[in-house]
Amino acid sequence: ALDILIPICLVLVPICLGAAFAYLWDGHDLVDSIYWSITTVTTVGYGDVQVGPDPEKEVVSRIFVIIFILISVPCFGFAFGKLNDAFMARKLENLK
């Protein structure tokens, strides 16, 4: 169970933190905040929702986004790698 729970947390925690920042700091609505966070973590980044358009908050927003991307994207990749490992291990067990 932990081999699946930890990767899921590694995906959900950064998405929730990014969404919380966009919602609380930039004042986006909840759906746009979650949408921005998911498109950023998955490196899609359409650019239609942006964090930091307010000039007074721009520096803090950019610093957050830099740190957010540097941490969340590797977490996302690592989590999916671990999920793949767990599923493959279970498949191999079923073959025995």
Side-chain angles (χ1 to χ4, degrees):
L2 279 179
D3 57 341
I4 293 176
L5 183 62
I6 291 172
I8 289 172
C9 288
L10 281 173
V11 169
L12 292 178
V13 168
I15 288 172
C16 291
L17 289 174
F21 180 82
Y23 180 77
L24 297 171
W25 179 256
D26 270 358
H28 291 292
D29 63 44
L30 188 58
V31 173
D32 282 346
S33 299
I34 294 169
Y35 171 78
W36 172 83
S37 187
I38 290 172
T39 58
T40 301
V41 168
T42 58
T43 69
V44 174
Y46 293 115
D48 52 347
V49 177
Q50 296 179 354
V51 173
D54 183 356
E56 293 178 8
K57 298 179 177 181
E58 185 177 13
V59 173
V60 173
S61 295
R62 285 184 183 212
I63 291 169
F64 173 80
V65 171
I66 290 168
I67 294 168
F68 177 69
I69 290 170
L70 289 174
I71 292 171
S72 65
V73 171
C75 281
F76 198 77
F78 179 79
F80 277 96
K82 285 297 182 185
L83 282 173
N84 184 50
D85 291 348
F87 288 126
M88 291 305 290
R90 287 185 182 170
K91 271 191 167 183
L92 289 174
E93 285 178 14
N94 290 337
L95 291 175
K96 291 181 183 180

Coordinates of all heavy atoms in Angstrom, one line a residue:
A1 N 0.8 -1.2 0.0 CA 0.0 0.0 0.0 C 0.9 1.3 0.0 O 0.5 2.2 -0.7 CB -0.9 0.0 1.2
L2 N 2.0 1.2 0.7 CA 2.8 2.4 0.8 C 3.5 2.7 -0.5 O 3.8 3.8 -0.9 CB 3.9 2.3 1.9 CG 3.5 2.6 3.3 CD1 4.6 2.4 4.3 CD2 2.9 4.0 3.4
D3 N 3.8 1.6 -1.3 CA 4.4 1.8 -2.6 C 3.5 2.5 -3.6 O 4.0 3.1 -4.6 CB 4.9 0.4 -3.2 CG 3.7 -0.6 -3.3 OD1 2.7 -0.4 -2.7 OD2 3.9 -1.5 -4.1
I4 N 2.2 2.6 -3.3 CA 1.3 3.4 -4.1 C 1.0 4.7 -3.4 O 0.8 5.8 -4.1 CB 0.1 2.6 -4.5 CG1 0.4 1.4 -5.4 CG2 -1.0 3.5 -5.1 CD1 -0.7 0.5 -5.7
L5 N 0.8 4.7 -2.1 CA 0.4 5.9 -1.4 C 1.4 7.0 -1.4 O 1.1 8.2 -1.6 CB 0.1 5.5 0.1 CG -0.4 6.6 1.0 CD1 -1.7 7.1 0.4 CD2 -0.5 6.2 2.4
I6 N 2.7 6.7 -1.3 CA 3.8 7.7 -1.3 C 3.8 8.4 -2.7 O 3.9 9.7 -2.7 CB 5.1 7.1 -0.9 CG1 5.1 6.7 0.6 CG2 6.3 8.1 -1.2 CD1 6.3 6.0 1.1
P7 N 3.8 7.7 -3.8 CA 3.8 8.4 -5.1 C 2.6 9.3 -5.3 O 2.7 10.4 -5.8 CB 3.9 7.3 -6.1 CG 4.5 6.2 -5.4 CD 4.1 6.3 -4.0
I8 N 1.5 8.8 -4.8 CA 0.2 9.6 -5.0 C 0.4 10.9 -4.2 O 0.0 12.0 -4.6 CB -1.0 8.8 -4.5 CG1 -1.3 7.8 -5.6 CG2 -2.2 9.7 -4.4 CD1 -2.4 6.8 -5.2
C9 N 1.0 10.8 -3.0 CA 1.2 12.0 -2.2 C 2.2 13.0 -2.8 O 2.1 14.2 -2.8 CB 1.7 11.6 -0.8 SG 0.4 10.9 0.3
L10 N 3.2 12.4 -3.5 CA 4.2 13.2 -4.2 C 3.6 13.9 -5.4 O 4.2 14.9 -5.8 CB 5.4 12.3 -4.6 CG 6.4 11.9 -3.6 CD1 7.4 10.9 -4.1 CD2 7.1 13.2 -3.0
V11 N 2.5 13.5 -5.8 CA 1.8 14.2 -6.9 C 0.8 15.2 -6.3 O 0.8 16.4 -6.8 CB 1.1 13.2 -7.9 CG1 0.1 13.9 -8.8 CG2 2.1 12.3 -8.6
L12 N 0.1 14.8 -5.4 CA -1.0 15.6 -4.8 C -0.5 16.8 -4.0 O -1.1 17.9 -4.1 CB -2.0 14.8 -4.0 CG -2.8 13.8 -4.8 CD1 -3.8 13.1 -3.9 CD2 -3.6 14.6 -5.9
V13 N 0.5 16.6 -3.2 CA 1.0 17.7 -2.3 C 1.5 18.9 -3.1 O 1.1 20.0 -2.8 CB 2.1 17.1 -1.3 CG1 2.8 18.3 -0.6 CG2 1.4 16.2 -0.3
P14 N 2.4 18.7 -4.1 CA 2.8 19.9 -4.9 C 1.6 20.6 -5.6 O 1.6 21.8 -5.7 CB 3.8 19.3 -5.9 CG 4.3 18.1 -5.3 CD 3.2 17.5 -4.5
I15 N 0.7 19.8 -6.2 CA -0.4 20.3 -6.8 C -1.2 21.2 -5.9 O -1.6 22.3 -6.2 CB -1.3 19.3 -7.5 CG1 -0.6 18.7 -8.7 CG2 -2.7 19.8 -7.9 CD1 -1.2 17.5 -9.4
C16 N -1.5 20.7 -4.7 CA -2.2 21.4 -3.7 C -1.5 22.7 -3.2 O -2.1 23.7 -3.0 CB -2.6 20.5 -2.5 SG -3.7 19.2 -2.8
L17 N -0.2 22.6 -3.0 CA 0.6 23.7 -2.6 C 0.6 24.8 -3.7 O 0.4 26.0 -3.4 CB 2.0 23.4 -2.3 CG 2.2 22.5 -1.0 CD1 3.7 22.1 -0.8 CD2 1.8 23.3 0.2
G18 N 0.8 24.4 -4.9 CA 0.7 25.4 -6.0 C -0.6 26.0 -6.2 O -0.7 27.2 -6.4
A19 N -1.7 25.2 -6.0 CA -3.0 25.8 -6.1 C -3.3 26.7 -5.0 O -3.9 27.8 -5.1 CB -4.0 24.6 -6.1
A20 N -2.9 26.4 -3.8 CA -3.1 27.2 -2.6 C -2.4 28.6 -2.8 O -2.9 29.6 -2.5 CB -2.6 26.5 -1.3
F21 N -1.2 28.5 -3.3 CA -0.4 29.8 -3.6 C -1.2 30.6 -4.6 O -1.4 31.8 -4.4 CB 1.0 29.5 -4.1 CG 1.8 30.7 -4.4 CD1 2.4 31.4 -3.3 CD2 1.8 31.3 -5.6 CE1 3.1 32.6 -3.6 CE2 2.6 32.4 -5.9 CZ 3.2 33.1 -4.9
A22 N -1.6 30.0 -5.7 CA -2.3 30.8 -6.7 C -3.6 31.4 -6.2 O -4.0 32.5 -6.5 CB -2.6 29.9 -8.0
Y23 N -4.3 30.6 -5.4 CA -5.6 31.0 -4.8 C -5.4 32.1 -3.7 O -6.1 33.1 -3.8 CB -6.3 29.8 -4.2 CG -7.6 30.1 -3.6 CD1 -8.7 30.3 -4.4 CD2 -7.8 30.2 -2.2 CE1 -10.0 30.5 -3.8 CE2 -9.0 30.4 -1.6 CZ -10.1 30.6 -2.4 OH -11.3 30.9 -1.9
L24 N -4.5 31.9 -2.8 CA -4.3 32.8 -1.7 C -3.5 34.0 -2.0 O -3.8 35.1 -1.6 CB -3.7 32.1 -0.5 CG -4.5 30.9 0.1 CD1 -3.7 30.2 1.1 CD2 -5.8 31.5 0.7
W25 N -2.4 33.9 -2.8 CA -1.5 35.0 -3.0 C -2.0 35.8 -4.2 O -2.0 37.1 -4.2 CB -0.1 34.5 -3.3 CG 0.9 35.5 -3.6 CD1 1.4 35.9 -4.8 CD2 1.5 36.5 -2.7 NE1 2.3 36.9 -4.7 CE2 2.3 37.3 -3.4 CE3 1.4 36.7 -1.3 CZ2 3.1 38.3 -2.8 CZ3 2.1 37.7 -0.7 CH2 3.0 38.5 -1.4
D26 N -2.4 35.2 -5.3 CA -2.8 35.9 -6.5 C -4.3 36.1 -6.6 O -4.7 36.9 -7.5 CB -2.3 35.2 -7.8 CG -0.9 35.6 -8.1 OD1 -0.3 36.5 -7.5 OD2 -0.3 35.1 -9.1
G27 N -5.1 35.5 -5.8 CA -6.5 35.7 -5.9 C -7.2 35.0 -7.0 O -8.3 35.4 -7.3
H28 N -6.6 34.0 -7.6 CA -7.4 33.3 -8.7 C -8.5 32.5 -8.0 O -8.4 32.1 -6.8 CB -6.4 32.3 -9.4 CG -5.4 33.0 -10.3 ND1 -5.8 33.7 -11.4 CD2 -4.1 33.1 -10.2 CE1 -4.7 34.2 -12.0 NE2 -3.6 33.8 -11.2
D29 N -9.5 32.1 -8.7 CA -10.5 31.3 -8.1 C -10.0 29.9 -8.0 O -8.9 29.5 -8.6 CB -11.8 31.3 -8.9 CG -11.7 30.8 -10.3 OD1 -11.1 29.7 -10.5 OD2 -12.3 31.4 -11.3
L30 N -10.7 29.0 -7.3 CA -10.1 27.7 -6.9 C -9.9 26.8 -8.2 O -8.9 26.2 -8.3 CB -11.1 27.0 -6.0 CG -10.6 25.7 -5.4 CD1 -9.3 25.9 -4.6 CD2 -11.7 25.1 -4.5
V31 N -10.8 26.8 -9.1 CA -10.7 26.0 -10.3 C -9.4 26.5 -11.1 O -8.6 25.6 -11.6 CB -11.9 26.0 -11.2 CG1 -11.7 25.3 -12.5 CG2 -13.1 25.4 -10.4
D32 N -9.3 27.8 -11.3 CA -8.1 28.3 -12.1 C -6.8 28.0 -11.3 O -5.8 27.7 -12.0 CB -8.2 29.8 -12.3 CG -9.2 30.1 -13.4 OD1 -9.5 29.2 -14.2 OD2 -9.5 31.3 -13.5
S33 N -6.9 28.0 -10.0 CA -5.7 27.7 -9.2 C -5.2 26.3 -9.4 O -4.0 26.0 -9.6 CB -5.9 28.0 -7.7 OG -6.2 29.4 -7.6
I34 N -6.2 25.4 -9.3 CA -5.9 23.9 -9.5 C -5.4 23.7 -10.9 O -4.4 23.0 -11.2 CB -7.1 23.1 -9.1 CG1 -7.4 23.2 -7.6 CG2 -6.8 21.6 -9.5 CD1 -8.7 22.6 -7.2
Y35 N -6.1 24.3 -11.9 CA -5.7 24.2 -13.3 C -4.3 24.7 -13.5 O -3.5 24.0 -14.2 CB -6.8 25.0 -14.1 CG -6.4 25.1 -15.6 CD1 -6.6 24.0 -16.5 CD2 -5.9 26.3 -16.1 CE1 -6.3 24.2 -17.8 CE2 -5.6 26.4 -17.4 CZ -5.8 25.4 -18.3 OH -5.5 25.5 -19.6
W36 N -4.0 25.8 -13.0 CA -2.6 26.4 -13.2 C -1.6 25.4 -12.6 O -0.6 25.1 -13.2 CB -2.5 27.7 -12.5 CG -1.1 28.2 -12.5 CD1 -0.4 28.8 -13.6 CD2 -0.1 28.0 -11.5 NE1 0.9 29.0 -13.2 CE2 1.1 28.6 -12.0 CE3 -0.1 27.5 -10.2 CZ2 2.3 28.6 -11.2 CZ3 1.0 27.5 -9.4 CH2 2.2 28.0 -9.9
S37 N -1.9 24.9 -11.4 CA -0.9 24.1 -10.7 C -0.7 22.8 -11.5 O 0.4 22.3 -11.7 CB -1.4 23.7 -9.3 OG -0.5 23.0 -8.6
I38 N -1.8 22.2 -12.0 CA -1.6 20.9 -12.7 C -0.9 21.1 -14.1 O 0.0 20.4 -14.4 CB -3.0 20.3 -13.0 CG1 -3.5 19.7 -11.6 CG2 -2.9 19.1 -14.0 CD1 -5.0 19.2 -11.7
T39 N -1.3 22.2 -14.8 CA -0.6 22.4 -16.1 C 0.9 22.8 -15.9 O 1.7 22.5 -16.7 CB -1.3 23.5 -16.9 OG1 -1.3 24.7 -16.1 CG2 -2.7 23.1 -17.3
T40 N 1.2 23.4 -14.7 CA 2.6 23.7 -14.5 C 3.4 22.4 -14.1 O 4.5 22.2 -14.6 CB 2.7 24.7 -13.3 OG1 2.0 25.9 -13.8 CG2 4.2 25.1 -13.0
V41 N 2.8 21.6 -13.2 CA 3.5 20.4 -12.7 C 3.7 19.4 -13.9 O 4.7 18.8 -14.0 CB 2.7 19.7 -11.6 CG1 3.2 18.3 -11.3 CG2 2.8 20.6 -10.3
T42 N 2.7 19.3 -14.8 CA 2.8 18.4 -15.9 C 3.6 19.0 -17.1 O 3.8 18.4 -18.1 CB 1.5 18.0 -16.4 OG1 0.7 19.1 -16.8 CG2 0.7 17.2 -15.3
T43 N 4.1 20.2 -16.9 CA 4.9 20.9 -17.9 C 4.2 21.3 -19.2 O 4.8 21.6 -20.2 CB 6.3 20.3 -18.2 OG1 6.0 19.1 -19.0 CG2 7.1 19.9 -17.0
V44 N 2.9 21.3 -19.1 CA 2.1 21.7 -20.3 C 2.1 23.2 -20.4 O 2.5 23.7 -21.4 CB 0.6 21.2 -20.1 CG1 -0.3 21.7 -21.3 CG2 0.6 19.7 -20.1
G45 N 1.8 23.9 -19.3 CA 1.9 25.3 -19.3 C 1.3 26.1 -20.4 O 2.0 26.7 -21.2
Y46 N 0.0 26.0 -20.6 CA -0.7 26.8 -21.7 C -0.4 28.3 -21.6 O -0.4 28.9 -22.6 CB -2.2 26.5 -21.7 CG -2.5 25.0 -22.0 CD1 -3.1 24.2 -21.1 CD2 -2.2 24.5 -23.3 CE1 -3.5 22.9 -21.4 CE2 -2.5 23.2 -23.6 CZ -3.2 22.4 -22.6 OH -3.5 21.1 -22.9
G47 N -0.3 28.8 -20.4 CA -0.1 30.3 -20.3 C -1.4 31.1 -20.2 O -1.3 32.3 -20.1
D48 N -2.5 30.4 -20.2 CA -3.8 31.2 -20.2 C -4.1 31.6 -18.7 O -4.8 32.6 -18.5 CB -4.9 30.4 -20.8 CG -5.0 29.0 -20.2 OD1 -4.1 28.5 -19.5 OD2 -6.1 28.3 -20.4
V49 N -3.6 30.9 -17.7 CA -3.7 31.4 -16.3 C -2.3 31.6 -15.9 O -1.4 30.7 -15.9 CB -4.4 30.3 -15.5 CG1 -4.4 30.7 -14.0 CG2 -5.8 30.0 -16.0
Q50 N -2.0 32.8 -15.4 CA -0.7 33.1 -14.9 C -0.6 33.5 -13.5 O -1.6 34.2 -13.0 CB -0.1 34.2 -15.8 CG 0.1 33.8 -17.2 CD 0.6 35.0 -18.0 OE1 0.8 36.1 -17.5 NE2 0.9 34.7 -19.3
V51 N 0.4 33.1 -12.8 CA 0.6 33.6 -11.4 C 1.5 34.8 -11.5 O 2.5 34.8 -12.1 CB 1.2 32.5 -10.5 CG1 1.6 33.0 -9.2 CG2 0.3 31.3 -10.5
G52 N 1.2 35.8 -10.8 CA 2.0 37.0 -10.7 C 1.7 38.1 -11.6 O 2.7 38.9 -12.0
P53 N 0.5 38.3 -12.1 CA 0.3 39.4 -13.0 C 0.3 40.8 -12.3 O 0.5 41.8 -13.0 CB -1.1 39.1 -13.7 CG -1.8 38.3 -12.6 CD -0.7 37.5 -12.0
D54 N 0.1 40.8 -11.0 CA 0.0 42.0 -10.2 C 1.5 42.5 -10.1 O 2.3 41.8 -9.5 CB -0.6 41.8 -8.9 CG -0.7 43.0 -8.1 OD1 -0.2 44.1 -8.5 OD2 -1.3 42.9 -7.0
P55 N 1.9 43.7 -10.5 CA 3.2 44.2 -10.5 C 3.8 44.2 -9.0 O 5.0 44.0 -8.8 CB 3.2 45.6 -11.1 CG 2.0 45.6 -11.9 CD 1.0 44.6 -11.3
E56 N 2.9 44.5 -8.1 CA 3.4 44.5 -6.7 C 3.7 43.2 -6.1 O 4.5 43.1 -5.2 CB 2.3 45.2 -5.8 CG 2.0 46.6 -6.1 CD 0.9 47.3 -5.3 OE1 0.5 46.6 -4.4 OE2 0.6 48.4 -5.6
K57 N 3.2 42.1 -6.7 CA 3.4 40.8 -6.2 C 4.3 39.9 -7.1 O 4.6 38.8 -6.9 CB 2.1 40.0 -6.0 CG 1.2 40.7 -5.0 CD -0.1 39.9 -4.9 CE -1.0 40.4 -3.8 NZ -2.3 39.7 -3.7
E58 N 4.7 40.6 -8.2 CA 5.4 39.8 -9.3 C 6.7 39.1 -8.8 O 6.9 38.0 -9.2 CB 5.7 40.7 -10.4 CG 6.2 40.0 -11.6 CD 6.4 41.0 -12.8 OE1 6.4 42.2 -12.7 OE2 6.7 40.5 -13.9
V59 N 7.5 39.8 -8.0 CA 8.8 39.2 -7.6 C 8.6 38.0 -6.8 O 9.2 36.9 -7.0 CB 9.7 40.3 -6.9 CG1 10.9 39.6 -6.4 CG2 10.0 41.4 -7.9
V60 N 7.7 38.1 -5.8 CA 7.5 36.9 -4.9 C 6.8 35.8 -5.7 O 7.2 34.6 -5.5 CB 6.5 37.3 -3.7 CG1 6.1 36.1 -2.9 CG2 7.2 38.4 -2.8
S61 N 5.9 36.1 -6.6 CA 5.3 35.1 -7.4 C 6.3 34.4 -8.3 O 6.3 33.2 -8.4 CB 4.2 35.7 -8.3 OG 3.2 36.2 -7.5
R62 N 7.2 35.1 -8.9 CA 8.2 34.5 -9.8 C 9.2 33.6 -9.0 O 9.5 32.5 -9.5 CB 9.0 35.6 -10.6 CG 8.2 36.2 -11.7 CD 9.0 37.1 -12.5 NE 8.2 37.7 -13.5 CZ 8.6 38.1 -14.7 NH1 9.9 38.0 -15.0 NH2 7.8 38.6 -15.6
I63 N 9.6 34.1 -7.8 CA 10.4 33.3 -7.0 C 9.7 32.0 -6.6 O 10.3 30.9 -6.6 CB 10.9 34.0 -5.7 CG1 11.9 35.1 -6.2 CG2 11.6 33.1 -4.7 CD1 12.2 36.1 -5.1
F64 N 8.4 32.1 -6.2 CA 7.7 30.9 -5.9 C 7.6 29.9 -7.0 O 7.8 28.7 -6.9 CB 6.3 31.2 -5.4 CG 5.4 30.0 -5.2 CD1 5.5 29.3 -4.0 CD2 4.5 29.6 -6.2 CE1 4.8 28.1 -3.8 CE2 3.8 28.4 -6.0 CZ 3.9 27.7 -4.8
V65 N 7.3 30.5 -8.2 CA 7.1 29.6 -9.4 C 8.4 28.9 -9.8 O 8.4 27.7 -10.1 CB 6.6 30.4 -10.6 CG1 6.6 29.6 -11.9 CG2 5.1 30.9 -10.3
I66 N 9.5 29.6 -9.7 CA 10.8 29.0 -9.9 C 11.0 27.8 -9.0 O 11.4 26.7 -9.4 CB 12.0 30.0 -9.8 CG1 11.9 31.0 -11.0 CG2 13.3 29.3 -9.8 CD1 12.8 32.2 -10.8
I67 N 10.9 28.0 -7.7 CA 11.1 27.0 -6.7 C 10.0 25.9 -6.9 O 10.3 24.7 -6.8 CB 11.0 27.6 -5.3 CG1 12.2 28.5 -5.1 CG2 11.0 26.5 -4.2 CD1 12.1 29.3 -3.8
F68 N 8.8 26.2 -7.2 CA 7.7 25.3 -7.4 C 8.0 24.3 -8.5 O 7.9 23.1 -8.4 CB 6.4 26.0 -7.6 CG 5.2 25.2 -7.9 CD1 4.7 24.4 -6.9 CD2 4.6 25.2 -9.2 CE1 3.6 23.5 -7.2 CE2 3.5 24.3 -9.5 CZ 3.0 23.5 -8.5
I69 N 8.5 24.9 -9.6 CA 8.8 24.1 -10.8 C 10.0 23.2 -10.5 O 10.0 22.0 -10.8 CB 9.0 24.9 -12.0 CG1 7.7 25.6 -12.5 CG2 9.7 24.1 -13.2 CD1 7.9 26.6 -13.6
L70 N 11.0 23.7 -9.9 CA 12.2 22.9 -9.6 C 12.0 21.8 -8.7 O 12.7 20.7 -8.7 CB 13.3 23.8 -9.1 CG 14.0 24.8 -10.1 CD1 14.9 25.7 -9.4 CD2 14.7 24.0 -11.2
I71 N 11.0 21.9 -7.8 CA 10.6 20.8 -6.9 C 9.5 19.9 -7.4 O 9.6 18.7 -7.3 CB 10.2 21.4 -5.5 CG1 11.5 22.1 -4.8 CG2 9.7 20.3 -4.6 CD1 11.2 22.9 -3.6
S72 N 8.5 20.5 -7.9 CA 7.3 19.7 -8.3 C 7.5 18.8 -9.5 O 7.0 17.7 -9.6 CB 6.1 20.6 -8.4 OG 6.2 21.5 -9.5
V73 N 8.2 19.3 -10.5 CA 8.3 18.5 -11.7 C 9.1 17.2 -11.5 O 8.7 16.1 -11.9 CB 8.9 19.4 -12.9 CG1 9.3 18.5 -14.1 CG2 8.0 20.5 -13.3
P74 N 10.3 17.3 -10.8 CA 11.0 16.0 -10.4 C 10.1 15.1 -9.5 O 10.2 13.9 -9.7 CB 12.2 16.5 -9.7 CG 12.5 17.9 -10.2 CD 11.1 18.5 -10.4
C75 N 9.4 15.7 -8.6 CA 8.5 14.9 -7.7 C 7.5 14.1 -8.6 O 7.2 12.9 -8.4 CB 7.8 15.7 -6.7 SG 8.7 16.2 -5.3
F76 N 6.9 14.8 -9.5 CA 5.9 14.2 -10.4 C 6.6 13.1 -11.2 O 6.0 12.0 -11.3 CB 5.4 15.3 -11.4 CG 4.1 15.0 -12.1 CD1 2.9 15.1 -11.4 CD2 4.1 14.7 -13.4 CE1 1.8 14.8 -12.0 CE2 2.9 14.4 -14.0 CZ 1.7 14.5 -13.3
G77 N 7.7 13.3 -11.8 CA 8.4 12.2 -12.5 C 8.8 11.1 -11.7 O 8.6 9.9 -12.1
F78 N 9.3 11.3 -10.5 CA 9.7 10.3 -9.6 C 8.5 9.5 -9.1 O 8.6 8.2 -9.1 CB 10.4 10.9 -8.3 CG 10.8 9.9 -7.3 CD1 12.0 9.2 -7.5 CD2 10.1 9.7 -6.2 CE1 12.4 8.2 -6.5 CE2 10.5 8.8 -5.2 CZ 11.6 8.1 -5.4
A79 N 7.4 10.2 -8.9 CA 6.2 9.5 -8.4 C 5.7 8.5 -9.5 O 5.3 7.4 -9.2 CB 5.1 10.5 -8.0
F80 N 5.6 9.0 -10.7 CA 5.1 8.1 -11.8 C 6.1 6.9 -12.0 O 5.7 5.8 -12.4 CB 4.8 8.9 -13.0 CG 3.4 9.5 -12.9 CD1 3.3 10.8 -12.5 CD2 2.3 8.7 -13.2 CE1 2.0 11.3 -12.4 CE2 1.1 9.3 -13.1 CZ 0.9 10.6 -12.7
G81 N 7.4 7.2 -11.8 CA 8.3 6.1 -11.9 C 8.1 5.0 -10.8 O 8.1 3.8 -11.1
K82 N 7.9 5.5 -9.6 CA 7.6 4.6 -8.5 C 6.3 3.8 -8.7 O 6.2 2.7 -8.4 CB 7.6 5.3 -7.2 CG 9.0 5.7 -6.7 CD 9.8 4.5 -6.5 CE 11.2 4.7 -5.9 NZ 12.0 3.5 -5.8
L83 N 5.3 4.5 -9.2 CA 4.0 3.8 -9.5 C 4.2 2.7 -10.5 O 3.7 1.6 -10.4 CB 2.9 4.8 -10.0 CG 2.3 5.7 -8.9 CD1 1.4 6.7 -9.6 CD2 1.5 4.8 -8.0
N84 N 5.0 3.1 -11.5 CA 5.3 2.1 -12.6 C 6.0 0.9 -12.0 O 5.7 -0.3 -12.3 CB 6.1 2.7 -13.7 CG 6.3 1.7 -14.8 OD1 5.4 1.1 -15.3 ND2 7.6 1.6 -15.2
D85 N 7.0 1.1 -11.1 CA 7.7 0.0 -10.4 C 6.7 -0.8 -9.6 O 6.8 -2.1 -9.6 CB 8.8 0.6 -9.5 CG 9.9 1.2 -10.2 OD1 10.0 1.1 -11.4 OD2 10.7 1.9 -9.5
A86 N 5.8 -0.2 -8.9 CA 4.9 -1.0 -8.1 C 4.0 -1.8 -8.9 O 3.7 -3.0 -8.6 CB 4.0 0.0 -7.2
F87 N 3.4 -1.3 -10.0 CA 2.6 -2.0 -10.9 C 3.3 -3.2 -11.5 O 2.8 -4.3 -11.7 CB 1.9 -1.1 -11.9 CG 0.8 -0.3 -11.3 CD1 0.9 1.1 -11.5 CD2 -0.2 -0.8 -10.5 CE1 -0.1 1.9 -10.9 CE2 -1.2 0.0 -10.0 CZ -1.1 1.4 -10.2
M88 N 4.5 -2.9 -12.0 CA 5.3 -4.0 -12.6 C 5.7 -5.1 -11.6 O 5.7 -6.3 -12.0 CB 6.6 -3.4 -13.2 CG 6.3 -2.5 -14.4 SD 5.4 -3.3 -15.7 CE 6.6 -4.5 -16.3
A89 N 6.0 -4.7 -10.4 CA 6.3 -5.7 -9.4 C 5.1 -6.6 -9.1 O 5.2 -7.8 -9.0 CB 6.7 -5.1 -8.1
R90 N 3.9 -6.0 -9.1 CA 2.7 -6.8 -8.9 C 2.4 -7.7 -10.1 O 1.9 -8.8 -9.9 CB 1.5 -5.9 -8.6 CG 1.6 -5.3 -7.2 CD 0.4 -4.4 -6.8 NE 0.7 -3.9 -5.5 CZ -0.1 -3.0 -5.0 NH1 -1.1 -2.5 -5.6 NH2 0.2 -2.5 -3.8
K91 N 2.6 -7.2 -11.3 CA 2.4 -8.0 -12.4 C 3.4 -9.2 -12.4 O 3.0 -10.4 -12.8 CB 2.7 -7.2 -13.7 CG 1.5 -6.6 -14.3 CD 1.7 -6.0 -15.6 CE 0.4 -5.7 -16.2 NZ 0.5 -5.2 -17.6
L92 N 4.6 -9.0 -12.0 CA 5.6 -10.1 -12.0 C 5.2 -11.1 -10.9 O 5.4 -12.3 -11.1 CB 7.0 -9.5 -11.7 CG 7.7 -8.8 -12.9 CD1 9.0 -8.2 -12.4 CD2 7.9 -9.7 -14.0
E93 N 4.7 -10.7 -9.8 CA 4.2 -11.6 -8.7 C 3.1 -12.4 -9.3 O 3.0 -13.6 -8.9 CB 3.8 -10.8 -7.5 CG 4.9 -10.3 -6.7 CD 4.4 -9.4 -5.5 OE1 3.2 -9.5 -5.1 OE2 5.3 -8.7 -4.9
N94 N 2.2 -11.8 -10.0 CA 1.0 -12.6 -10.6 C 1.5 -13.6 -11.6 O 0.8 -14.6 -11.8 CB 0.0 -11.6 -11.2 CG -0.7 -10.8 -10.1 OD1 -0.8 -11.2 -9.0 ND2 -1.2 -9.7 -10.6
L95 N 2.6 -13.4 -12.3 CA 3.1 -14.3 -13.3 C 3.7 -15.6 -12.6 O 3.8 -16.6 -13.3 CB 4.1 -13.7 -14.2 CG 3.5 -12.6 -15.1 CD1 4.7 -11.9 -15.9 CD2 2.5 -13.2 -16.1
K96 N 4.1 -15.5 -11.4 CA 4.8 -16.6 -10.7 C 3.9 -17.7 -10.3 O 2.8 -17.7 -10.1 CB 5.5 -16.1 -9.5 CG 6.7 -15.2 -9.8 CD 7.4 -14.8 -8.5 CE 8.6 -13.9 -8.9 NZ 9.3 -13.4 -7.7

